[in-house]
Amino acid sequence: MTSSNRVRLTGVAESTYGVTPTNPRMQKQRVTSIGLTNKADYVDSDDIRDDRMSSDPIMVGQSNGGQIGIEWHYPADSCLLSREMESAFGNVWINTPSRDNDGTAGSVIQSVTASTQVVAVAAAAAFVTGHLVSFSGFATANKGKLAKVTAGSATAPAFVGGGLVDEASPPATARMKVVGCEGAAGDIQAVADGLTTQAGGLDFSTLGLTVGQWVKVGDAGAAYRFATEGVNGWGRIVAVSARKLTLDNLPSGWGADTGTGKTIRFFFGDVLKNGVQKLGLSLERGFMGQATPTYIAQTGMRVNTLEFGGQAKQKATGSIAFMGLKGTTALVSLDDTPDPAPDGALFPVMAFSVNCGRIGEGGSALKKPNWSKSVKFTINNNLRAIDAAADGDDAAPAAVDVADGSFDVSVELDTYFGNADLLAKVMAGTPTSLNTRLQKGVQAMVWDAPRLIPKEGDPNVSGKNQDVMLPVKLSASADSLTNAQLIVNRLEFFR
């Protein structure tokens, strides 16, 4: 027999839609349920027989799809969950510059020289002066460093003053990732609507920042944060220029602060916005408890729907539903040694209440008397399978393509009915926005629907001795400022 505890789900992103890469490097995924389907489609015969019995049903095709259940953790770069989010959004992550040896020592991050504080790396997106870089997975005291780029480069960035030590061949686990920036003493200042820098100081426009990106201002330690404590919080970028970052969704304690004598830091991460790219995955289920495991592979699996959400004192959960092309059953895996899923100790499941730093509506955090009890974001790509009688000179038992529909986003928000503020927006159809930030350890992600129309909401009186709730349903539409309907930010490191 086969136990669910011995079923393995792996996958890989497809470079060409519908084509599994040659010798694919598969990765395992953490799931709570696997409801993927690879099934034959039959129709009954209409044959009329005088013995009142039936002729055999006729196989007419094959269907591939189904869904998986997940608990939300930080979607680490290149993990299967991250790739599925790209498929759901129809776009790829805009990542901050990074380097990763990815299993081969000295391959991408080649050496660290203490005397010059220079790190030799393979060419890719440049590290820019002012960038704050996190060092992880190194074999020496470089592990865990957070250092400022003092001389930018794509191949030899310098970190003078960073305290790096010699490392001739950084290990296979070594990783460098831009996680923010740091200004010179007194350079970065807080103003009523954002941050500014002084003439000759840090140039915000060189850092790769974009409208719709979230930043966390201030680090641990007095030298790296504003004296006005309310300024050391989160905000969303609405404009970027050389000397100013204009922010909204600022905390209530935000105010002006010159940052005198302080080398202010702020953190930012990767951004995912909805787009129009056609991104598929090849997935494989392995039934590992069998004497000879059975493997079911499915190609061209696009994400049709994706859910993210949760409620007070519960974990963040969701589901991902796919629509795909072909499926095959075999006794040989696409990859006998897939990469492990993100480690649960390093990428723990996030929860609401304890890990929810904010649920914001209309630019302000929801609080007394209208606390939020639950929130859920749902993406629906309205995909449709394209069936054909033949595929060129070949049969077409499975769908020959999966076509796009509209990118629909709905949000369900359940709040305590403390006053009529939100109800008034529902009744008037007043445009609003909603964002949710989950943070655990040094990692965070922010889900942000920048323009929503509240279409439904009515106070719910379910019985005596009950709290009166206002469940609101909202629908996303195109936001002209961010050119998006839904944006996710992920911060690999912040403090």
Side-chain angles (χ1 to χ4, degrees), residues 175-431:
R175 177 171 170 81
M176 298 167 61
K177 171 73 169 174
V178 171
V179 296
C181 76
E182 179 184 321
D187 180 31
I188 298 179
Q189 300 185 5
V191 294
D193 60 348
L195 300 172
T196 62
T197 60
Q198 309 309 298
L202 189 66
D203 185 341
F204 289 135
S205 67
T206 66
L207 302 176
L209 300 169
T210 62
V211 171
Q213 191 166 21
W214 284 75
V215 300
K216 161 59 174 67
V217 180
D219 192 1
Y224 303 119
R225 60 195 292 115
F226 287 104
T228 304
E229 193 54 38
V231 179
N232 299 301
W234 295 77
R236 188 188 70 151
I237 299 173
V238 295
V240 182
S241 65
R243 299 285 165 238
K244 185 174 182 181
L245 278 186
T246 306
L247 306 174
D248 69 1
N249 282 270
L250 292 167
S252 58
W254 187 274
D257 191 316
T258 59
T260 303
K262 295 176 179 289
T263 53
I264 297 297
R265 291 174 173 174
F266 64 84
F267 297 92
F268 53 87
D270 308 327
V271 179
L272 180 61
K273 296 183 179 182
N274 59 285
V276 296
Q277 296 188 51
K278 191 172 186 174
L279 303 171
L281 303 104
S282 292
L283 302 178
E284 182 183 77
R285 284 169 285 164
F287 298 87
M288 311 309 292
Q290 298 175 345
T292 300
T294 301
Y295 300 96
I296 301 175
Q298 295 168 272
T299 62
M301 298 289 274
R302 298 182 64 188
V303 174
N304 187 31
T305 64
L306 181 147
E307 293 181 351
F308 161 83
Q311 61 182 333
K313 295 188 176 180
Q314 295 293 328
K315 58 195 175 186
T317 60
S319 64
I320 305 173
F322 301 88
M323 187 175 292
L325 301 179
K326 299 178 180 178
T328 58
T329 300
L331 300 180
V332 178
S333 175
L334 294 172
D335 183 357
D336 286 327
T337 57
D339 289 348
D343 190 326
L346 299 176
F347 303 96
V349 173
M350 294 181 174
F352 285 83
S353 296
V354 69
N355 300 133
C356 188
R358 170 189 168 104
I359 296 178
E361 182 273 322
S364 300
L366 285 171
K367 55 184 179 179
K368 185 178 181 178
N370 298 320
W371 296 283
S372 170
K373 190 171 184 178
S374 68
V375 64
K376 183 171 77 171
F377 293 77
T378 301
I379 295 170
N380 187 349
N381 281 301
N382 295 286
L383 301 180
R384 60 191 186 277
I386 304 299
D387 296 321
D391 186 8
D393 290 321
D394 201 357
V400 294
D401 200 0
V402 174
D404 292 316
S406 58
F407 181 80
D408 294 340
V409 177
S410 60
V411 179
E412 297 175 41
L413 177 69
D414 197 19
T415 68
Y416 291 90
F417 188 46
N419 60 38
D421 290 351
L422 188 53
L423 180 60
K425 292 183 180 182
V426 173
M427 299 307 295
T430 304

Side-chain angles (χ1 to χ4, degrees), residues 117 141-142 145 147 159-165:
Q117 294 290 287
N142 295 324
K145 289 284 188 184
F159 300 85
V160 175
L164 302 180
V165 301

